[in-house]
Every structure is written in structure tokens, then in C-alpha cells.
Amino acid sequence: MKSFAALALSLGLLIALGSGQDKRSVQVTAREVAWTPVSLPGVPAGIQQKLLHNNTANKVQSAIVRFPKGFREPRHYHTTCGHSIYILKGRIRSPEGMLTPGTFTYAAVNERHGPFVAEEETEFLFYTDGPFDYFIEEK
């Protein structure tokens, strides 16, 4: 239950921070949101997400993202947004170490990060602070 409470607190905070131009508050029951595939150019298939909040006015989003076991996300960067990740379950290996439940990380605009490898099926809360773009830059 502790991870659910952390998710609820994080989600409430992210919605409050990310919905500056929204005309109404948003409340979502994540278990009722369907998983949908995510396709990014140059990235292997397998990513899924539950889009929890899409603020089109500010071009920010909140989602739960799932990497299947063995998934490898290449080293990359973003020019129009930074993003926050909070690990809910699973493990992701990164160049900086293992990301496990309760780990929070923020990647700033233009900061190269990754590659990331899911050691097991992993779910994380994902929040963008600007319009999402994606550029691969392998070492």
C-alpha cells in the first residue's frame, strides 16, 4: 500500500503542477486506464503507457509507462522538455546505477541519458515539463 500512497501523492502533485492552463481539475483511477503501445522512431517496440493526463495547452503529460523485461531504451535526449521518472515496480539498469521502486530521477532539457535496460518488467510514473520530443544519441 505504501507504493500506492506514493503514486497517489505524486500523481496529485504532478497534476497540480502540470495543469496550469487547464480549466478543470483531473482525477483518474489508473487501474481503469487502458495500456496503449508507444512508438518512438529508432526505439524497439514494447513500451506501453497509461496516459493519465494530457495538458494540451501547456503540452505536458503524466503517464504510467511500462517496459517489458529485457527492453533496452537507447541513449537519448530531449530538446523541448525535461522529464521526471518515479519507479513504481521493477528494476531498470542505467549508467548511473539500478533504478528500483521509490527511485526518482529528473532528466533536464538537452541532457543525454541512458541507455536503460529493464532487468524485469518495470512500471514508472512519467511526467514531461514541456512538449515531448526524442532524439537518439548512442555513444
Side-chain angles (χ1 to χ4, degrees), residues 15-104:
I15 287 173
L17 292 174
S19 60
Q21 296 296 322
D22 280 355
K23 303 292 185 217
R24 61 183 176 83
S25 296
V26 175
Q27 181 172 324
V28 175
T29 303
R31 72 176 172 271
E32 295 174 0
V33 178
W35 289 105
T36 59
V38 174
S39 177
L40 297 169
V43 176
I47 302 174
Q48 295 183 313
Q49 75 172 359
K50 290 183 174 214
L51 185 59
L52 303 174
H53 184 238
N54 185 16
N55 182 321
T56 56
N58 289 347
K59 298 185 175 146
V60 297
Q61 294 183 331
S62 299
I64 298 174
V65 175
R66 178 190 289 161
F67 285 178
K69 181 179 179 179
F71 179 81
R72 181 185 184 279
E73 182 180 28
R75 184 171 175 79
H76 64 280
Y77 63 100
H78 314 276
T79 64
T80 55
C81 74
H83 66 72
S84 299
I85 293 174
Y86 179 80
I87 305 295
L88 300 170
K89 72 175 202 175
R91 296 181 322 154
I92 295 177
R93 184 172 16 97
S94 79
E96 293 76 32
M98 198 64 68
L99 306 178
T100 57
T103 303
F104 173 85

Side-chain angles (χ1 to χ4, degrees), residues 87-133:
I87 305 295
L88 300 170
K89 72 175 202 175
R91 296 181 322 154
I92 295 177
R93 184 172 16 97
S94 79
E96 293 76 32
M98 198 64 68
L99 306 178
T100 57
T103 303
F104 173 85
T105 180
Y106 176 77
V109 175
N110 290 316
E111 182 180 76
R112 277 58 177 168
H113 48 284
F116 299 106
V117 178
E119 297 287 321
E120 55 191 64
E121 183 180 87
T122 302
E123 294 178 8
F124 53 90
L125 185 62
F126 183 76
Y127 172 76
T128 63
D129 60 12
F132 184 78
D133 64 356

